[in-house]
């Protein structure tokens, strides 16, 4: 992996690079979008860019990768790389785009760090970059091959066959291939990218988890309308567009399915914890467990503002009840029923079977809290898996 000479240089310069990584990534994006405005318009999430979330995620991934290489020069952080590669594949990223990123990232490094970037330092961090870039490109190419598409050619037209209003801010869109050609089955828990053309001509992309039968030719996504002030950023451009403009009979541009939050050892006990719209991948996993006759204990947990805000609430309960050894518990901040918890999800009093594998999806503070509670109950860290909607800020805060 990382050469001995570069390992020593990266180890020595990692504190300085780490301290400046926020400035570096901010300048990188400024340079990248000045040279390639089409990337901001048609590939990157403009909302995340405006809120600074993508900058944090990029900084976190670079720092985490470099730190791992220094500590383990002969190993790759494959869990992190796989998560990034799945997201890249859902966007149609190809190997040819990595030199473009390299050009503007290293220009930003040189500008921010100045004379500290000696030829030796530049060569060491160049090695780090290409180890990461080539690893990602190789994983992405394997994902494309597994999806039976050419590299980057992930998009198909899908027709909206139905729409259901789940809550005041959540709608389910059922879609089928517009050309009638069967689509490959997806794995429970995976997501697709949806690209829409906005009034200003931008073709923005967002990811939405699939739920329903993975082998069906009709797929379902549930979209929560993002209200900017409540989410700490601008209103969701794509979610508002889908809610306001898309009806049965319309066409959407949808990617092949990707995502690494899939069932591991599905024979053992399973815990599914979600908050808000994070219930969608959990429902996909839950439906698969029910349809395959899972017999080990399954614990289903969900937190939301109120029962009226809980999307697919009836499905959550019904699928749980299909299992032979299962329990469901919901927590609400408002209007909790007699069988519900009040406030935030609390694992006190919730039995967690030995050997449980846990799957989490929801806002980052929620997942951190649940993970800490699971660890305290003896669940192994390696058996806790998660999905993040948007940039993975867990890496950025690691």
């Amino acid at each position: 992996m990382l050469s001995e000479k570069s390992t020593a240089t990266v180890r020595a310069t990692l504190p300085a690079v780490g301290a400046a990584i926020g400035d570096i990534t901010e300048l990188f994006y400024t340079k990248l979008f000045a040279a390639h405005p089409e990337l901001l318009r048609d590939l990157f999430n403009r909302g995340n860019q405006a809120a600074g979330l993508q900058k944090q995620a990029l900084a976190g991934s670079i720092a985490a990768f470099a730190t791992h290489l220094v500590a383990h020069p002969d190993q790759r952080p494959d869990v992190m790389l796989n998560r990034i590669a799945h997201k890249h594949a859902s966007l149609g990223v190809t190997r040819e785009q990595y030199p473009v990123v390299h050009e503007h990232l290293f220009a930003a490094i040189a500008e921010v760090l100045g004379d500290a970037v000696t030829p030796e330092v530049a060569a060491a961090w160049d090695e780090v970059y290409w180890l990461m870039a080539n690893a990602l490109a190789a994983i992405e190419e394997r994902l494309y091959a597994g999806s039976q598409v050419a590299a980057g050619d992930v998009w198909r037209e899908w027709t909206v066959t139905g729409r259901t209003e789940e809550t005041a801010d959540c709608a389910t869109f059922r879609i089928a291939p517009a050309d009638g050609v069967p689509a490959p089955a997806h794995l429970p828990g995976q997501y697709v990218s949806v690209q829409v053309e906005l009034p200003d001509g931008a073709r923005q992309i967002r990811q939405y988890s699939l739920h329903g039968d993975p082998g069906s030719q009709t797929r379902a996504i549930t979209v929560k309308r993002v209200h900017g002030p409540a989410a700490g950023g601008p209103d969701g451009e794509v979610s508002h567009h889908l809610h306001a403009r898309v009806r049965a009979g319309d066409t959407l541009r949808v990617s092949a399915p990707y995502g690494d939050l899939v069932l591991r050892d599905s024979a053992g006990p399973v815990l599914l914890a979600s908050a808000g719209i994070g219930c969608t991948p959990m429902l996909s996993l839950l439906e698969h467990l029910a349809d395959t006759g899972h017999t080990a204990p399954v614990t289903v947990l969900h937190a939301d503002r109120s029962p009226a805000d809980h999307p697919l609430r009836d499905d959550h309960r019904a699928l749980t009840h299909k299992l032979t050894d299962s329990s469901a518990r919901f927590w609400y901040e408002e209007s909790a029923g007699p069988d519900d918890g009040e406030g935030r999800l609390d694992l006190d009093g919730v039995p967690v079977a030995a050997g449980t594998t846990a799957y989490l999806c929801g806002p980052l503070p929620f997942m951190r809290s649940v993970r800490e509670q699971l660890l305290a109950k003896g669940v192994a860290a390696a058996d806790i898996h998660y999905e993040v909607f948007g940039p993975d800020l867990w890496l950025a805060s690691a």
Side-chain angles (χ1 to χ4, degrees):
M1 290 293 290
L2 191 60
S3 67
E4 185 175 341
K5 180 180 179 181
S6 291
T7 298
T9 301
V10 172
R11 181 182 292 113
T13 56
L14 188 55
V17 173
I21 195 68
D23 293 335
I24 291 169
T25 53
E26 184 171 1
L27 182 58
F28 157 69
Y29 280 119
T30 299
K31 290 178 175 293
L32 178 68
F33 296 145
H36 299 278
E38 74 280 2
L39 294 179
L40 179 58
R41 187 181 65 243
D42 298 335
L43 180 63
F44 285 86
N45 181 320
R46 296 193 297 195
N48 289 338
Q49 287 295 326
L53 300 178
Q54 188 61 55
K55 177 186 73 172
Q56 294 178 49
L58 176 62
S61 64
I62 293 172
F65 186 78
T67 300
H68 182 95
L69 288 184
V70 167
H72 310 284
D74 297 324
Q75 299 177 15
R76 288 192 331 196
D78 281 338
V79 171
M80 181 188 79
L81 292 173
N82 281 327
R83 178 169 293 274
I84 296 171
H86 274 273
K87 182 63 67 69
H88 283 183
S90 80
L91 296 168
V93 170
T94 63
R95 184 180 291 272
E96 289 73 24
Q97 290 169 298
Y98 285 100
V100 176
V101 172
H102 177 273
E103 175 188 352
H104 298 288
L105 179 60
F106 275 74
I109 290 173
E111 187 170 329
V112 171
L113 297 182
D115 293 341
V117 185
T118 64
E120 182 181 17
V121 169
W125 282 94
D126 188 73
E127 187 177 342
V128 169
Y129 176 82
W130 285 113
L131 281 172
M132 187 173 186
N134 287 329
L136 287 171
I139 297 170
E140 289 150 16
E141 286 164 357
R142 289 197 295 271
L143 292 173
Y144 292 138
S147 299
Q148 303 175 31
V149 298
D153 187 21
V154 297
W155 301 102
R156 288 183 65 179
E157 300 294 316
W158 289 66
T159 300
V160 178
T161 61
R163 170 175 169 157
T164 303
E165 308 304 314
E166 306 290 354
T167 71
D169 279 322
C170 292
T172 293
F173 298 86
R174 290 172 179 79
I175 57 176
D179 58 9
V181 177
H186 64 89
L187 297 176
Q190 290 191 310
Y191 55 78
V192 291
S193 288
V194 175
Q195 185 181 59
V196 301
E197 184 171 349
L198 299 174
D200 66 355
R203 299 176 65 87
Q204 284 283 285
I205 303 170
R206 301 293 186 269
Q207 286 77 39
Y208 299 105
S209 293
L210 295 162
H211 55 93
D213 180 2
S216 172
Q217 288 309 295
T218 299
R219 294 178 176 171
I221 58 172
T222 299
V223 179
K224 181 176 181 178
R225 181 164 32 213
V226 176
H227 296 289
D235 283 346
E237 290 186 289
V238 174
S239 66
H240 277 257
H241 176 92
L242 292 170
H243 274 260
R245 296 173 178 267
V246 176
R247 300 290 186 272
D250 290 335
T251 300
L252 292 174
R253 196 164 186 244
V254 180
S255 77
Y258 296 101
D260 64 341
L261 186 77
V262 295
L263 290 168
R264 270 68 175 180
D265 177 13
S266 58
V270 173
L271 182 144
L272 307 174
S274 57
I277 196 62
C279 67
T280 50
M282 299 298 105
L283 281 165
S284 181
L285 299 179
L286 181 59
E287 183 167 7
H288 177 75
L289 292 170
D291 289 346
T292 55
H294 187 81
T295 57
V298 176
T299 303
V300 178
L301 311 173
H302 182 78
D304 225 308
R305 183 177 300 279
S306 72
D309 293 303
H310 181 167
L312 303 161
R313 183 172 184 263
D314 291 343
D315 291 346
H316 227 153
R317 287 202 184 279
L319 289 170
T320 303
H321 292 156
K322 285 179 66 175
L323 291 156
T324 58
D325 185 0
S326 63
S327 63
R329 182 87 185 273
F330 303 149
W331 282 259
Y332 300 114
E333 297 174 15
E334 304 169 1
S335 305
D339 297 328
D340 301 323
E342 294 185 3
R344 297 182 178 181
L345 191 153
D346 186 349
L347 290 182
D348 284 348
V350 176
V352 178
T356 287
T357 301
Y359 302 86
L360 318 179
C361 189
L364 188 54
F366 165 82
M367 293 195 293
R368 282 199 183 113
S369 172
V370 174
R371 183 177 185 274
E372 289 173 2
Q373 294 180 67
L374 289 171
L375 292 172
K377 282 182 169 284
V379 179
D383 292 332
I384 303 174
H385 310 282
Y386 70 95
E387 179 66 274
V388 173
F389 290 165
D392 192 344
L393 300 184
W394 209 321
L395 287 176
S397 59

